[in-house]
Amino acid sequence: MKVRSAIREMKAYSPPLEGRTEGDFLLLDFSESTLPPPEGVREAIKAFLDGRGVQVYPSYSAFEKQLTAYARVAPGQLIVTNGSDSAIQLITSALLSPGDEMIMAKPGFAVIENCAVSIGAKVVSPLYRPPEMAFPLEDLLAAVTERTALIVIINPNNPTGSLVTVEQIESVLSAFPEVAVMVDEAYYEFSGLTAVPLLERYGNLVITRTFSKAFALAGLRLGYALSNPDFITQLHKLRNPYNVNMLAVVAAGAQLAAPEGWKAYVTEVMERAKPRVERFLSEHGVAYYPSGGNFLLVRPDDPQAAADYLRQHGILVRPQRPPVEDTFRLSIGTAADMELFMEVFARYPGLDASAGKSEAAP
C-alpha cells in the first residue's frame, strides 16, 4: 500500500511495556500509581457492568459536567479523550499541516513529536541543559518563525521534571498570540501548577491532562483537553463520538466524587516518599534533577548497569534516550515502595563509583 512518506520515514514510539506485569516487579518505570484505585472505583465499575451500560453506546454529558467543575472551567471548554495521547493527536491534527513547524523543548514526551512528524510537520527542539535543566524560555522564543504553528510546553516536563512558571507560559502566549500553545499537564495533581487561569485571556491556549497518573487509571485510558469553546468544537469534529470507554468514565467519575484516596496518595508521594529518596541519593553521591512530578531523573555513573541491577532485584526503572542517555527515570511510589527501592539500590556496587558526583542535584 502507498503509505504517506511522513509515516514511512518516522520512527515508531515503542515503549518497553511487554512483560513488565508478568513478574513480581515493583513498577517504577512509567510514572504510574503504585497503588490500585480504591474500592469505591471498583464498585462503580461492577455496578456499571451489572447494569445495562456495556451494550449501550457511551454518553459523556454527566461526567463532563463533573469534570468541568473539577478543572474549574466553563461549560464548553472541555473535551474528554481516549487518554491524553488522543487529545494530543486531535490537537496536532487540528493545528498542523505538512511543512509547518512545531516547537517543543527536548527531552520531552515522544508521543507529541511523533504526532507532529506523522502529519509531515517539522519539530524544532531547543534543549533543556544541565546542570539545572531549566525550561529554555529564551531559546524557545528565538526559535519561533513564520512557519511555527504550534508551541508545546510540558509542565512539569517529562522526563526532566522541570517546572515552567505560569508567568513564563504567559510570556509565550502574549509574545505570539497567533501561534497555538499546548501545555501538557499530565502531572498537574502532583505539581499543583496549572495554566487554567490563562484560558480566560488567551484564545491560543490549549491544555491537556490525564487520569493515568494520580488517578491510577492508566489501563483504562482517559484524558481531556481544555481550551476556548470554539477550539473545543473543532476538536469534537475530529474525535469519534464513541471512542472514550465508559468504564474509564465511570471509574474517573468515582475518583472525582471521592478524592480522599488519590489526594492522600499524592501527599504521601510528594511530601514523604520523594524527599526521602532525594536525601538518599544525595547521601550516596548519585546525581538527580529536581522534579515537580512523581518521578526523578537520576544520573548514576552507568545508568543502564544500574537499571539492569535493579531489574535483577525486582525493580523496574526507565533508562532514557538522547539527549539524557546518561540517566534513568525513577517513578516515586508510596513510602514503603521507596524504602524497598533504597534498600535494594544501597547494595548496588556502582554507588561507590558515584560518590562525590552529585553536582547535578542543586
Side-chain angles (χ1 to χ4, degrees):
M1 295 184 185
K2 189 175 181 180
V3 176
R4 291 188 294 115
S5 59
I7 306 297
R8 290 281 185 193
E9 295 169 6
M10 69 184 288
K11 295 180 180 179
Y13 175 56
S14 302
L17 290 165
E18 297 303 319
R20 58 194 291 270
T21 59
E22 295 172 4
D24 189 22
F25 290 112
L26 174 57
L27 303 178
L28 302 181
D29 50 343
F30 276 82
S31 303
E32 303 148 324
S33 172
T34 60
L35 294 180
E39 182 62 29
V41 173
R42 297 192 288 274
E43 290 174 353
I45 291 174
K46 184 178 184 300
F48 180 81
L49 293 174
D50 290 342
R52 62 174 187 170
V54 172
Q55 71 267 33
V56 177
Y57 280 108
S59 60
Y60 313 120
S61 58
F63 174 67
E64 286 175 341
K65 183 177 180 180
Q66 184 184 22
L67 186 56
T68 294
Y70 170 75
R72 299 183 179 182
V73 295
Q77 287 190 283
L78 177 150
I79 182 173
V80 294
T81 58
N82 187 15
S84 61
D85 294 4
S86 177
I88 291 164
Q89 191 168 37
L90 293 176
I91 292 163
T92 52
S93 295
L95 295 173
L96 295 175
S97 298
D100 283 345
E101 293 180 353
M102 182 186 85
I103 301 175
M104 182 180 79
K106 278 191 175 181
F109 186 31
V111 165
I112 303 175
E113 180 173 358
N114 273 26
C115 286
V117 171
S118 71
I119 294 167
K122 177 184 177 182
V123 180
V124 179
S125 302
L127 293 178
Y128 282 88
R129 300 182 187 276
E132 294 87 3
M133 286 292 184
F135 177 60
L137 175 62
E138 296 304 321
D139 291 344
L140 183 146
L141 293 173
V144 176
T145 71
E146 61 182 13
R147 299 176 69 180
T148 304
L150 177 62
I151 298 169
V152 175
I153 299 172
I154 306 171
N155 194 31
N157 187 50
N158 175 16
T160 64
S162 313
L163 285 171
V164 187
T165 67
V166 175
E167 290 75 19
Q168 288 175 317
I169 295 171
E170 185 167 19
S171 71
V172 177
L173 289 163
S174 60
F176 303 101
E178 301 304 315
V179 178
V181 178
M182 180 175 76
V183 179
D184 183 79
E185 294 184 351
Y187 300 94
Y188 157 67
E189 283 73 23
F190 294 99
S191 72
L193 193 63
T194 181
V196 163
L198 300 178
L199 287 171
E200 293 184 3
R201 300 197 297 277
Y202 296 97
N204 55 330
L205 172 63
V206 57
I207 298 167
T208 56
R209 289 183 180 173
T210 183
F211 279 83
S212 293
K213 307 302 181 184
F215 294 103
L217 300 178
L220 290 181
R221 313 307 305 132
L222 185 66
Y224 59 104
L226 308 168
S227 191
N228 66 78
D230 177 70
F231 187 60
I232 294 297
T233 297
Q234 307 313 312
L235 296 183
H236 273 289
K237 295 176 184 179
L238 290 171
R239 192 201 74 185
N240 183 304
Y242 313 125
N243 78 337
V244 178
N245 190 310
M246 277 304 294
L247 290 180
V249 169
V250 168
Q255 284 284 51
L256 292 178
E260 299 81 9
W262 66 262
K263 285 186 175 181
Y265 177 77
V266 168
T267 298
E268 179 173 1
V269 166
M270 300 301 288
E271 297 183 11
R272 291 181 55 202
K274 186 177 170 187
R276 178 69 185 93
V277 173
E278 291 171 335
R279 289 195 299 272
F280 168 86
L281 294 173
S282 296
E283 290 165 358
H284 288 81
V286 181
Y288 67 90
Y289 297 101
S291 168
N294 62 326
F295 58 88
L296 291 171
L297 194 62
V298 181
R299 201 190 73 190
D301 276 0
D302 189 336
Q304 188 60 59
D308 291 344
Y309 174 86
L310 289 166
R311 184 184 184 94
Q312 291 164 9
H313 291 79
I315 299 174
L316 299 185
V317 297
R318 184 83 181 272
Q320 296 297 296
R321 302 184 300 176
V324 285
E325 66 275 16
D326 59 345
T327 65
F328 65 73
R329 190 183 63 198
L330 170 70
S331 305
I332 306 297
T334 65
D337 293 329
M338 304 322 295
E339 287 298 330
L340 176 58
F341 163 79
M342 291 182 287
E343 178 185 334
V344 170
F345 201 39
R347 301 194 298 267
Y348 173 54
L351 286 192
D352 292 337
S354 299
K357 296 186 179 180
S358 58
E359 71 278 0

